[in-house]
Amino acid sequence: MDLMQFVNEVVFSFLEAVIILLLFIFLNDKKQFIRYNKFKSFVFFMLYMIFSYWASTYIPPVFHTICIAVFMVVILSFVTQSNIYASIITVGIIGILIIVTESIVLIIEMIFLKIDMATMLSIPKVKVLHSALCKVAQLGVAAFLYRFNIKINWFDMLKKENSTLSFSILQIFMMTMFMMSVNFVVSHQTDIMLYNILLFIIYLLFILLGFLDYKERERLLKIQYKFEAQEEYVKNMEIMMNVIRREKHDFANHLNTILAMCVLNKPDSLGRIETYIRKLTNSLKSSYHFFDTGNDYVDGLLAVKSNFAFENDIHLEVDIETPLSEAEVNDSHLTSIIGNIVDNAFEAIQTGQDRDGKVVSICTYIENNKYCLSISDNGPMIPEEHKDRIFENGFSTKSDKKEEHGFGLYIVKQLVAQNNGEITVSSSEDETEFLIRFNVRGHKNGEISSNTYQRNTA
């Protein structure tokens, strides 16, 4: 064995074992493994070096690559005490990283040296240089994983079915195989016509898989929207429970007050008790309301908003001429749309000049075969130069310029567009109105279902 062959077969093989172990422990969040398992690590390096040399020398091409891959999965799973399924996927990722880095280095070398791949790899010195540059690139990848703490949470990935992940892995695998096949075709000058035909067939089948993946993603998004709507509903119910607990505490105080009046039994006790109870009843009627909008999630949202309005001396009017169930819009999106605009209205009223009767109004109706949702307030007028910009990402008229400002109305416009709706804003000294139009659920050929209310626009 000459020096070049020794370097290429032994030294670089040992260095490759080091790189593989580093990539494996970084991806599996076991960065301290080598530090506390030096002997195990050294044994792995030696085993990999000897086994890969033996497999490459005495096992036919292709089969020796499979043998080395299986060996890596088993030995790394055993040495690092990792899950065998996680080990399989990690070794697959490492294999892809190695192939990609080697292909990139090869392309760069071919460009700068201006020779083809077959000629370049037949020159021992150039082949050693190629191997050295590949190892440097792979060490760079390992350093990147370590520096940015990139790891894979195998527990979350393996405990549930995930076809999206599988298709992503398939995409990476197919691209890797394509790169390998191109290199092989270029170096061996095989039948190009047959290669192109097979590649085209694979391309068509891959498009079919992509369509199936798209439908699966759609299904998962719908499930996600349902979860988001339910989470928002639960959050609103938790707030309402806190309000009820607080009211319960206040009830105890009120009952104690009434009991004290009864015990004192002063001449005017009966009249004072009656007046006290009437005031208490009126206060309870005003503090929070439960609405029937036709959407349970929005009902919970508005119950919370009504309590906030009462505490901040704002009158919240809700007039549902047509139930929200008639609007062709996602429940989670609708909750976010109403919540963001109502919050903006509350902020506008509170930050504006003091005026009697702060009012935020929500109403729904059918007009021109469109479901209309109007949210208005009597806060400050939106300047004309701001009307076209309020829906821009990050735009805000608030003076404190905090990072979280400027996204609410942008999100609203995106959600409205996703549901094939449109939103307009009008503003005057007396009122600012956001008018949102959606398609009517079950609307066909210009007709509207009989249980909806059509506003007369004549």
Side-chain angles (χ1 to χ4, degrees), residues 32 67 84 91 116 123 154 163 184 186 196 201 217 235 244 247 253 260 262 271 273 354 362 373 394 414 445 448:
Q32 303 299 320
C67 291
I84 189 67
V91 168
D116 61 80
I123 304 173
W154 297 116
S163 62
F184 181 81
V186 170
N196 286 334
I201 293 172
R217 288 173 188 263
K235 176 183 170 184
I244 292 172
E247 294 292 342
N253 292 331
C262 294
I273 290 173
D354 292 337
I362 302 172
L373 168 62
Q414 300 304 309
N445 301 323
I448 299 176

Side-chain angles (χ1 to χ4, degrees), residues 222-287:
K222 289 178 181 178
I223 294 173
Q224 180 184 348
Y225 290 149
K226 287 293 183 183
F227 276 125
E228 288 176 355
Q230 289 173 3
E231 286 175 0
E232 187 68 22
Y233 183 70
V234 170
K235 176 183 170 184
N236 290 329
M237 289 300 100
E238 286 176 349
I239 295 173
M240 285 307 303
M241 288 300 296
N242 289 332
V243 171
I244 292 172
R245 290 190 190 99
R246 188 179 63 199
E247 294 292 342
K248 179 182 177 182
H249 181 266
D250 289 342
F251 267 129
N253 292 331
H254 293 312
L255 290 174
N256 287 330
T257 301
I258 294 171
L259 177 61
M261 290 180 180
C262 294
V263 171
L264 291 173
N265 196 23
K266 292 184 177 181
D268 59 344
S269 291
L270 185 60
R272 293 174 64 187
I273 290 173
E274 181 184 358
T275 302
Y276 187 85
I277 292 176
R278 288 186 183 278
K279 289 181 178 179
L280 178 59
T281 303
N282 291 333
S283 176
L284 288 174
K285 287 180 180 179
S286 303
S287 62

